[in-house]
Amino acid sequence: MSAEPFVLQDALDLDARDELAHFSARFELADDLVYLDGNSLGALPRATPARIVEVVRAEWGDDLISSWNKHGWISLPMRVGAKLARLLGAYPDEVIAADSTTVNLFKIVSAAVVLRPGRTIIVSEQRNFGTDLYVVEGLARLLGGKHELRLVNGAAGVAAALAEAGPRVAALVLTHVCYRTGRMLDMAGLTRLAHQQGALAVWDLAHSAGAVPVDLNAAGADFAVGCGYKFLNGGPGAPAFLFAARRHLEAPESARCALQGWLGHARPFAFETAYEAAPGVRRFQVGTPPILSLAALEVGVDIALEAPMEAVRAKSLALGELLIRLIGERCPADHGLQLVSPRDTAQRGSQLCFSHPEAYGIVQALIARRVVGDFRAPNILRLGLTPLYTRFRHMWAAAEALAAVLRDDELQRPEYRTRAAVT
Ligand SMILES: *Cc1c(COP(=O)(O)O)cnc(C)c1O
C-alpha cells in the first residue's frame, strides 16, 4: 500500500476485489448498517427464516412425531456436529451440537477431572470469561472442595503454573481467543505443556469457531466447546458444540458425561434401568435436542463451510489492519483510544479492542450513527470483524464515525452515560 492517505475509493476497490464479497448477500443486513458485533450475535442468514418455517409447518405441523425419523431430527445434533468438525480440525464423530457453551463446559471439565483422579489443580486465566471460571468453581465445590482453581495470566503465567503444580494438575481450561482483548493463545503449544505434566487441555472456542483457523487434533486438544450464535450465525441462544478427542471416547481413557441423560445412553429407546454411555461423542448429549434452533444453526454452519478458512483469516486480518490504519489517519491525534488487541496479527483473533475512559459512551454514540460494536466493562470498545459480511467500506465508515464522536462532545449526553441491562 502506498504512503498516500487511504481514501474511501481505496476501500471500495478492496471490496471489489474481495473474493468473499458475495457472502454478504447471504445475510439480512441493512445497507446503511455497519455491524461489528457478529462476534456477540451473528447476523441472520437470508435462508434461515424459510428453513425454520419449513421445519415448523412441514415437519412439525404435518409430520408431527414421525419427523424424528422421517426428517432425521434424532440425528440432527450429530449431523450438525459432523459439519462443525470440519471447521474445527476434528473427526465427524468427535463433535456434537448440544446445550449451551456453559453447560458443555461443565460436561467436559468434569469429564477431564474424573479422567485424572488424585490430581486436584485446575489452571485457568484470571481474565478468562466469567462463565468458564464459575463452572470450574462450582464443580470444585460439588466435588467436595478438594479441587483448586489456580488463576494466572498469559501464556507465560500458564506455563509457570503448570510447571509449578506438575503432577497435581488435572486440567488446563483456557479460552483460545480472549473475548475482551481478541488475543489468541497458542493452542498447540499450551496443550503440549499441559500434556507434559500429564494434565488434559480443555479449550473454549467461543470466539474462534468460524472466525480463525482451528485444528483441534493437530493441537492435541482433549476437549473443547464453543458457541453457535457468534461467528457461526446460528441465531440467539443457538445450540453450542462440544468436542471430545477420539482417544477419550474409547477404553481405557473413556470419558464420562456427568449429566447422564437418556439421549446419551447407548440405547435410548430400550428404556433400560441401568445407564450405559453411548459409544461416541453422543454420550455428551443429555436430553431432547432443540430442533428449531438446530435447524437454524445448520444454515449458519453450511454457509461457514462454503468459505475457505484461509480466505476468511486473510480478510479478517486485512480488515483489522485497515481499521487500525484509518483510526490513526482519521481520528483526532488526542483520540485516547489504546489498542488492547495484540499488534502482532499472528496473536489476534477476529476482533479489535480498544480501551478508552469513555468507552461506554463511545459505543452508544457509534450505535446512534449505525455503527454497532459493543462495550465490555470496565473500559473496552470491542469491534468484531466477521469476514463473511464485514466490508472494507465498513472500516472506513467505522473510522469516520469514531472520528466524529471523538471530535464532538456528544459523549456528554445523558443517554450515552446510562447503562442498559445488556451491554
Ligand atoms: C460468549 C461466550 C460464552 C457464552 O456461553 P453461553 O453458555 O452461550 O452463554 C462462553 N465462553 C466464552 C469465552 C464466550 O465468549
Side-chain angles (χ1 to χ4, degrees):
M1 220 169 262
S2 72
E4 296 282 300
F6 195 92
V7 295
L8 175 57
Q9 188 57 47
D10 296 326
L12 300 176
D13 291 346
L14 286 174
D15 280 332
R17 290 201 302 271
D18 170 16
E19 65 173 295
L20 299 176
H22 63 100
F23 280 100
S24 67
R26 309 279 292 277
F27 294 89
E28 253 349 300
L29 281 169
D31 228 28
D32 68 331
L33 181 69
V34 177
Y35 189 64
L36 303 178
D37 218 356
N39 56 331
S40 208
L41 176 63
L44 168 66
R46 282 194 201 278
T48 300
R51 176 66 187 131
I52 294 296
V53 167
E54 183 185 24
V55 176
V56 169
R57 295 222 174 273
E59 300 186 7
W60 177 17
D62 294 342
D63 294 328
L64 283 160
I65 201 161
S66 70
S67 294
W68 286 105
N69 292 316
K70 187 172 171 190
H71 298 293
W73 286 358
I74 196 67
S75 50
L76 196 51
M78 290 297 292
R79 184 167 93 209
V80 176
K83 290 182 176 185
L84 283 162
R86 290 160 53 194
L87 291 169
L88 303 173
Y91 294 109
D93 54 1
E94 292 176 316
V95 182
I96 188 161
D99 301 308
S100 67
T101 302
T102 305
V103 171
N104 287 338
L105 269 165
F106 180 85
K107 291 187 250 177
I108 60 173
V109 178
S110 55
V113 166
V114 169
L115 285 173
R116 289 295 176 269
R119 291 171 172 250
T120 53
I121 294 174
I122 298 166
V123 175
S124 188
E125 279 199 291
Q126 193 136 29
R127 290 187 225 112
N128 200 347
F129 191 73
T131 217
D132 300 58
L133 302 179
Y134 311 152
V135 161
V136 175
E137 199 202 293
L139 176 65
R141 206 183 292 273
L142 179 69
L143 292 174
K146 58 186 192 307
H147 287 79
E148 178 200 339
L149 173 58
R150 198 163 281 187
L151 298 177
V152 291
N153 272 321
V158 169
L162 289 172
E164 207 259 314
R168 290 175 297 149
V169 196
L172 174 63
V173 179
L174 292 175
T175 295
H176 183 221
V177 174
C178 175
Y179 75 103
R180 200 169 7 186
T181 64
R183 181 220 54 196
M184 183 162 68
L185 289 172
D186 170 11
M187 188 189 293
L190 292 168
T191 296
R192 202 178 316 117
L193 291 183
H195 288 173
Q196 276 168 10
Q197 305 300 342
L200 296 174
V202 172
W203 290 94
D204 184 334
L205 304 177
H207 289 277
S208 309
V212 299
V214 175
D215 198 337
L216 286 166
N217 282 326
D222 295 287
F223 297 98
V225 294
C227 291
Y229 52 81
K230 294 175 176 168
F231 289 90
L232 296 170
N233 306 306
F241 63 83
L242 180 156
F243 158 88
R246 272 182 182 172
R247 62 184 174 282
H248 298 306
L249 297 170
E250 294 157 0
E253 278 271 275
S254 200
R256 296 192 68 88
C257 181
L259 298 171
Q260 294 190 166
W262 73 297
L263 285 179
H265 192 284
R267 295 167 299 277
F269 292 90
F271 298 104
E272 293 165 22
T273 301
Y275 181 81
E276 182 188 325
V281 74
R282 188 171 62 75
R283 77 188 62 177
F284 286 101
Q285 185 174 350
V286 177
T288 306
I291 297 303
L292 301 182
S293 300
L294 279 166
L297 174 61
E298 188 171 31
V299 175
V301 171
D302 282 341
I303 296 173
L305 284 172
E306 286 178 44
M309 182 44 78
E310 318 81 77
V312 170
R313 177 65 172 161
K315 182 176 172 188
S316 158
L317 295 180
L319 289 166
E321 290 299 284
L322 176 58
L323 186 55
I324 291 171
R325 175 178 176 185
L326 288 174
I327 288 173
E329 287 180 3
R330 311 208 54 89
C331 286
D334 61 344
H335 57 64
L337 289 167
Q338 295 266 7
L339 181 69
V340 295
S341 301
R343 195 62 197 79
D344 174 10
T345 54
Q347 294 176 44
R348 198 194 298 157
S350 201
Q351 56 177 283
L352 282 182
C353 304
F354 300 89
S355 64
H356 193 287
E358 298 285 346
Y360 183 78
I362 292 173
V363 169
Q364 301 312 306
L366 287 177
I367 291 170
R369 290 168 184 271
R370 305 279 285 157
V371 175
V372 179
D374 63 20
F375 165 77
R376 283 295 172 263
N379 63 346
I380 302 287
L381 158 65
R382 191 171 70 154
L383 302 172
L385 307 170
T386 46
L388 296 188
Y389 49 83
T390 303
R391 317 298 304 270
F392 289 95
R393 68 175 167 80
H394 293 154
M395 301 296 93
W396 175 270
E400 286 299 280
L402 255 174
V405 166
L406 292 166
R407 227 181 280 121
D408 302 345
D409 48 7
E410 57 187 90
L411 295 180
Q412 303 314 318
R413 286 194 212 158
E415 67 265 34
Y416 295 159
R417 306 190 71 84
T418 323
R419 290 190 191 177
V422 175
T423 63

